[in-house]
Amino acid sequence: MLIAAFGGWNDACQAATDAVRHLTSRYPSREVRTIDGDGFYDYQATRPIVCYATGRRRIVWPQTTVYDVELPQGRHLYALIAPEPNYRWPAYCAQVLRIADELDVRRIVTLGAMFADCPHTRPLPLDVEDGSAEAVTDPDQRYSGPVGIPTILDAAAVDEGFATSSIWASIPQYLEGDDCAAATLRLLDAIGDVAGVPIDAGDLPGRAGAWREAADVLASTDEALAAYVKRLEREYDAHEKARREASLGGHACRQLVMEAEAFLHSLETGHDADGDGRGPVGGVGTTHDGTV
């Protein structure tokens, strides 16, 4: 598979590109392909940088780099990192997919990170889509509006017959910054699930804990922010409860049906479902979880 992350609009707190940087620094990696930036970048918006190597000045131009990353158990994946292009997105995506085809890639996985109304005190929301927009895990959360290069690359890959996955992490909008290890960790966990190989988290769990502690301190010194976080917690918990109830498995559904049938039988026989002869009071009963 090819993991692709782009800096800029699609990369809140650099969480997505940091996921690729983590892969290439944590595992043996080598550069296998590049795409030159000429024709794809506005150098006033995405500027080249100057650095010094072995005492000599070097200009580094924006470009796309693809790495071969060697995972445990002899597994490999390719990782692409680049600034989001400014121009000619269809042509750019065609070049990426040509490289993917040359490398025998079968699945394209695009990463992204965005600011959202979510609390730092809960697991950061993760949106995973497979195949097409019709496969969104939560249909009520389907997005309509402006998109970035990950969405365009995903759509182009589908058109060319590649399997695709899109993984986006959400970051509390009240915690804008240059780094969010918690979001990077969420993305890497999802990559591990897709790749079938757990990703070594390195120091990310500790950095994620420090991020949450700093957010706790910030909220504790601002009453308005603390109240806002509490409201986000209530909304998050309510949404998670609704999601769990909507995804009840077959066994849970059968249990509810059996309890309902027992209750109805008790109305007919004058005995309650527990066999103690008392029956439901006032014709109303509850299940073991308190449901009327």
Side-chain angles (χ1 to χ4, degrees):
M1 72 178 61
L2 171 69
I3 309 292
F6 299 90
W9 190 71
N10 320 273
D11 192 26
C13 293
Q14 302 182 102
T17 49
D18 277 350
V20 169
R21 293 186 187 99
H22 181 89
L23 289 170
T24 57
S25 64
R26 200 74 189 173
Y27 297 105
S29 304
R30 62 187 181 91
E31 181 181 310
V32 292
R33 294 288 193 283
T34 60
I35 297 176
D36 186 77
D38 282 351
F40 295 121
Y41 292 102
D42 175 352
Y43 293 132
Q44 289 184 322
T46 307
R47 290 183 179 273
I49 61 174
V50 61
C51 64
Y52 289 84
T54 63
R56 299 184 62 182
R57 187 177 71 171
R58 181 186 175 200
I59 303 297
V60 180
W61 295 88
Q63 71 170 19
T64 300
T65 307
V66 180
Y67 296 92
D68 179 358
V69 181
E70 183 179 351
L71 299 177
Q73 305 173 20
R75 302 287 296 276
H76 285 256
L77 59 77
Y78 296 103
L80 178 153
I81 187 169
E84 181 177 53
N86 301 103
Y87 305 120
R88 302 173 59 224
W89 284 8
Y92 176 84
C93 290
Q95 284 206 33
V96 171
L97 296 180
R98 189 178 307 121
I99 290 173
D101 190 54
E102 292 171 358
L103 298 174
D104 292 326
V105 166
R106 291 176 174 81
R107 176 176 294 274
I108 307 289
V109 180
T110 54
L111 306 181
M114 59 186 172
F115 292 113
D117 290 329
C118 58
H120 71 277
T121 53
R122 301 291 189 269
L124 296 183
L126 196 69
D127 183 50
V128 181
E129 299 179 16
D130 288 314
S132 69
E134 298 304 317
V136 178
T137 54
D138 184 351
D140 292 334
Q141 299 298 316
R142 287 176 181 160
Y143 170 76
S144 296
V147 297
I149 193 67
T151 304
I152 302 303
L153 177 59
D154 184 75
V158 169
D159 290 343
E160 292 297 320
F162 289 90
T164 64
S165 296
S166 175
I167 308 174
W168 284 75
S170 293
I171 299 172
Q173 53 84 18
Y174 56 88
L175 293 176
E176 295 186 21
D178 296 329
D179 177 79
C180 183
T184 299
L185 186 58
R186 290 282 280 163
L187 290 170
L188 287 169
D189 286 344
I191 291 171
D193 290 341
V194 175
V197 178
I199 302 298
D200 183 357
D203 65 348
L204 284 174
R207 289 167 51 199
W211 174 82
R212 290 191 176 91
E213 290 174 3
D216 286 340
V217 171
L218 178 64
S220 68
T221 59
D222 187 325
E223 290 185 4
L225 178 57
Y228 176 60
V229 172
K230 288 295 184 184
R231 178 173 68 81
L232 292 178
E233 289 175 341
R234 291 193 297 270
E235 293 174 353
Y236 184 102
D237 293 342
H239 176 77
E240 285 300 297
K241 180 181 178 182
R243 184 185 61 80
R244 288 193 301 270
E245 291 176 349
S247 60
L248 281 174
H251 176 75
C253 288
R254 285 192 297 272
Q255 179 67 23
L256 290 175
V257 169
M258 290 173 61
E259 292 175 355
E261 289 176 344
F263 170 66
L264 292 173
H265 180 69
S266 71
L267 292 181
E268 295 174 355
T269 63
H271 293 81
D272 70 333
D274 295 325
D276 62 8
R278 290 177 298 179
V281 178
V284 177
T286 60
T287 66
H288 66 280
D289 63 355
T291 304
V292 175

